[in-house]
C-alpha cells in the first residue's frame, strides 16, 4: 500500500487505456484508488487524479455514467489544486466532456 506503487499503477492504467486495453487498466486503476484512499485524503489531488484515470478506463469500456460520476468529483479538486492550465486538468475536463456526450450520441444512433 505504498504511494509510489499507487502512482505507478495509476500511470500504467492510463497507458493501457491508450493502448486499447481498458479492461486491464480498470483493474490497475482500482488498485491505485484503493491505495490512495487508504493513505491520503479522499479530496486530495493525487486521489482526484486516480479517480480521473479510473473514469478514463470506464469511459473506454462504454460506461459513461460511472465515468461521469468519477469525474464530477475529481475535476473540481484538480482545478482547485492544479489550476485550469494544467495538462492533467485539461485532460480530465475533456474526459468529462466525452462522458457527458456519449449517452446522447448513443441515443441519436439508435433512431
Amino acid at each position: 500500500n505504498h504511494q509510489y506503487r499507487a502512482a505507478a499503477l495509476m500511470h500504467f492504467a492510463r497507458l493501457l487505456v491508450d493502448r486499447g486495453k481498458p479492461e486491464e487498466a480498470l483493474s490497475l486503476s482500482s488498485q491505485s484508488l484503493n491505495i490512495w484512499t487508504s493513505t491520503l485524503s479522499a479530496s486530495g489531488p493525487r486521489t482526484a487524479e486516480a479517480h480521473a484515470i479510473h473514469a478514463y478506463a470506464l469511459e473506454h469500456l462504454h460506461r459513461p455514467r460511472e465515468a461521469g460520476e468519477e469525474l464530477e468529483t475529481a475535476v473540481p479538486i484538480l482545478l482547485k489544486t492544479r489550476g485550469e492550465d494544467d495538462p492533467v486538468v485539461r485532460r480530465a475536463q475533456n474526459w468529462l466532456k466525452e462522458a457527458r456526450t456519449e449517452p446522447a450520441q448513443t441515443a441519436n444512433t439508435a433512431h
Side-chain angles (χ1 to χ4, degrees), residues 40-62:
L40 290 177
S41 165
S43 62
R46 298 298 285 184
T47 306
E49 188 176 354
H51 277 286
I53 291 171
H54 191 69
Y56 184 50
L58 289 166
E59 176 65 26
H60 280 77
L61 289 168
H62 308 290

Side-chain angles (χ1 to χ4, degrees), residues 8 17 25 29 32 45 71 74 86 89 96 104:
V17 175
S29 65
S32 176
L71 290 165
D86 185 85
V89 173
L96 179 56

Side-chain angles (χ1 to χ4, degrees), residues 13-26:
R14 186 178 60 81
L15 291 172
L16 283 171
V17 175
D18 289 343
R19 301 272 190 246
K21 299 178 180 182
E23 299 88 9
E24 292 176 49
L26 190 65

